Amino acid sequence: MRLGLGTGRTAEQFVRLLGLRVREGLQVVGVATSERTAALAALVGIPVATLDDEPVLDLAVDGADEIDGRLRLIKGGGGALLREKIVANAASRFLVIVDDAKFVDQLGAFPLPVEAVPFGLAATIRAIEDALGALRLEGAIIVRQRDGQPYVTDNGNRILDLKLGRIAEPERLATALADIPGVVEHGLFIGMASAAIIAGAGGVRRLSPNPPPS
Ligand code: A5P
């Protein structure tokens, strides 16, 4: 299989376990969603290709920061949302693996990451504020920092974290953010996940778009 490999603590567990299977003889090629994951995949013995080498993937597996009952996600807590969305979009199936603390009734308690180009960042922030106002959403927009400096993504961009608290209409917000020049991508993944595996103290359950009648 041609596999998209996610980013974050949960996805790293998947990559390590996949590495075990590869060392037992499983044949896969992995396309990583971050430099961090590419390094880990190579370390555990998974053959790594670029998305240019393998532009069509069979399956992408990744974590999420929040997920609701309609398989809508917030991603990007690890700063890799742009490559994660490109890779998930290139895959025939996109499987999300989370613990049940990530499962929410309404998205938005986790700050929504937005990747923006550094040029004109203040103007982009103002445009996002205007878009939020039009949707009657309120909240701070924080330029993500690391070690006292603006965080820089693998693509040389910045991350803005939108602390909204609740997002009543994720589809409308996704469209509004995507329309803003300077916004490269946002962390709302809507209509992308094929299924989710949700693990909790009570066991593991699978969430599908159309669960079979019980
Ligand atoms: C990386 O940019 C994110 O989208 C991660 O997939 C997400 O933050 C989940 O990460 P954890 O598994 O570390 O919570």
Side-chain angles (χ1 to χ4, degrees):
M1 292 181 81
R2 297 157 297 181
L3 286 174
L5 305 175
T7 295
R9 295 159 301 177
T10 315
E12 281 173 15
Q13 296 304 318
F14 172 76
V15 171
R16 288 182 190 282
L17 291 168
L18 183 66
L20 284 179
R21 296 287 304 276
V22 167
R23 295 202 291 282
E24 290 167 2
L26 184 73
Q27 294 200 351
V28 296
V29 59
V31 171
T33 53
S34 62
E35 301 298 333
R36 199 168 91 203
T37 295
L40 176 64
L43 184 72
V44 300
I46 301 170
V48 178
T50 69
L51 200 54
D52 290 310
D53 298 326
E54 297 287 354
V56 179
L57 303 174
D58 300 299
L59 173 69
V61 180
D62 204 346
D65 299 301
E66 279 186 350
I67 179 169
D68 73 6
R70 293 164 62 181
L71 288 172
R72 299 181 294 191
L73 316 174
I74 287 181
K75 286 184 54 53
L81 65 106
L82 174 58
R83 295 191 188 188
E84 290 172 340
K85 197 175 275 190
I86 293 171
V87 167
N89 193 55
S92 303
R93 286 178 295 146
F94 174 35
L95 181 64
V96 180
I97 46 176
V98 290
D99 62 81
D100 61 10
K102 309 276 188 71
F103 187 75
V104 297
D105 288 334
Q106 186 170 51
L107 298 177
F110 191 93
L112 175 65
V114 173
E115 181 157 347
V117 294
F119 177 85
L121 194 62
T124 302
I125 291 172
R126 287 183 66 105
I128 293 173
E129 286 169 346
D130 288 347
L132 294 178
L135 293 172
R136 299 182 188 282
L137 290 168
E138 288 180 8
I141 301 174
I142 311 291
V143 180
R144 191 180 295 181
Q145 305 286 311
R146 179 185 277 178
D147 301 328
Q149 300 292 325
Y151 176 85
V152 179
T153 70
D154 283 349
N155 318 297
N157 295 316
R158 304 287 187 261
I159 294 287
L160 304 171
D161 288 305
L162 278 49
K163 302 180 100 173
L164 302 173
R166 52 195 295 275
I167 302 172
E169 297 177 288
E171 286 81 1
R172 288 187 69 198
L173 179 57
T175 301
L177 291 171
D179 278 351
I180 296 172
V183 168
V184 181
E185 195 48 83
H186 56 77
L188 286 166
F189 286 49
I190 298 174
M192 298 187 76
S194 312
I197 304 289
I198 303 175
V204 175
R205 66 191 171 102
R206 184 186 177 93
L207 185 64
S208 301
N210 295 306
S214 51

